[in-house]
Amino acid sequence: SSTLAALISNQYSKVTSGFQSLQSSPSELWKAYLLKFLDSYAYFSFSLIFTIFLSHEFGMSDVRAGTIYGAWGALITVFGLVTGTIIDNLGVAKCLRIGFSLSFLTRLTLFFCTSERVLLFCTLGALPLANCLGIPVLTVGIRRYTNDENRGFAFGLFYVIMNVGALVAGPLVDVLTIFYKGGGSSKGDDDVGNDDNDDAAMTGSTAE
């Protein structure tokens, strides 16, 4: 028990000292953390619903929806390799502005689009480009806005924030899906009532 308490106390001291070491960091570091959380939530929530979106809204089979989803993930890596030099020339701030603006506009277009061509252009072109301009550039920003003493803790916190974004993605997707469909309780009650009425009608016709 004393060993466990000492271990917890030691870890708590490391965490508090780590946060204290970041107090003198520029505000851009905390903006990078906020962007990482939003980007992580956007990435993982998109991953959760994208194939369902393709099946329900565009009538795609599971195989085709899964293929497009896999191609999107692969193209993020391909675009990242191709745009490496461009990222170096544009700099961190400009790449982040372009990447997150493009990501927002692309996701907004996907929300309203009804054309499969527009869908494929957004998914296999604009969105991977936006992702590769945001995700790796944030790591460059973390390195730039820290020093040798606090860089290890800063990167650790960076990946913790990424995991928090992934953690909240599932519950928020469920809540927003229920809200978007109109709640679910009243609709569910109506469905149950209709089913009961249908069952009663069928029973009555059978008795006759």
Side-chain angles (χ1 to χ4, degrees):
S1 176
S2 59
T3 304
L4 179 61
L7 180 61
I8 294 175
S9 176
N10 183 39
Q11 293 300 318
Y12 177 78
S13 299
K14 288 182 178 180
V15 171
T16 53
S17 62
F19 277 107
Q20 289 174 358
S21 68
L22 296 178
Q23 288 181 351
S24 59
S25 300
S27 61
E28 285 79 6
L29 177 66
W30 304 103
K31 293 177 183 177
Y33 284 140
L34 175 61
L35 289 175
K36 182 58 181 176
F37 173 78
L38 296 175
D39 181 75
S40 180
Y41 169 74
Y43 177 87
F44 286 103
S45 61
F46 187 81
S47 300
L48 288 171
I49 64 173
F50 185 51
T51 54
I52 301 174
F53 170 76
L54 294 178
S55 298
H56 287 187
E57 300 297 329
F58 291 89
M60 294 186 182
S61 65
D62 292 343
V63 174
R64 191 178 182 202
T67 301
I68 294 175
Y69 171 75
W72 163 66
L75 285 171
I76 295 175
T77 303
V78 174
F79 276 51
L81 295 173
V82 173
T83 58
T85 304
I86 299 175
I87 292 173
D88 292 337
N89 291 330
L90 291 178
V92 173
K94 188 172 291 187
C95 282
L96 288 177
R97 292 191 189 99
I98 295 173
F100 280 90
S101 298
L102 181 60
S103 178
F104 174 77
L105 292 175
T106 303
R107 294 175 194 277
L108 190 64
T109 303
L110 285 173
F111 180 77
F112 289 106
C113 92
T114 56
S115 168
E116 189 170 317
R117 288 187 177 182
V118 175
L119 169 77
L120 293 177
F121 171 77
C122 290
T123 306
L124 304 180
L127 193 57
L129 178 61
N131 290 141
C132 79
L133 288 175
I135 298 172
V137 175
L138 283 175
T139 60
V140 175
I142 297 297
R143 181 176 180 83
R144 178 171 297 180
Y145 301 132
T146 55
N147 53 50
D148 293 337
E149 295 181 359
N150 59 15
R151 187 165 295 137
F153 180 82
F155 271 105
L157 182 60
F158 180 76
Y159 291 110
V160 167
I161 292 173
M162 180 190 73
N163 290 324
V164 171
L167 181 66
V168 302
L172 279 179
V173 164
D174 291 339
V175 170
L176 292 175
T177 301
I178 293 171
F179 177 78
Y180 180 72
K181 288 184 176 181
S185 58
S186 60
K187 184 178 183 300
D189 293 340
D190 292 341
D191 291 341
V192 172
N194 292 334
D195 291 341
D196 290 342
N197 292 334
D198 292 341
D199 291 342
M202 292 177 63
T203 303
S205 62
T206 303
E208 292 177 358

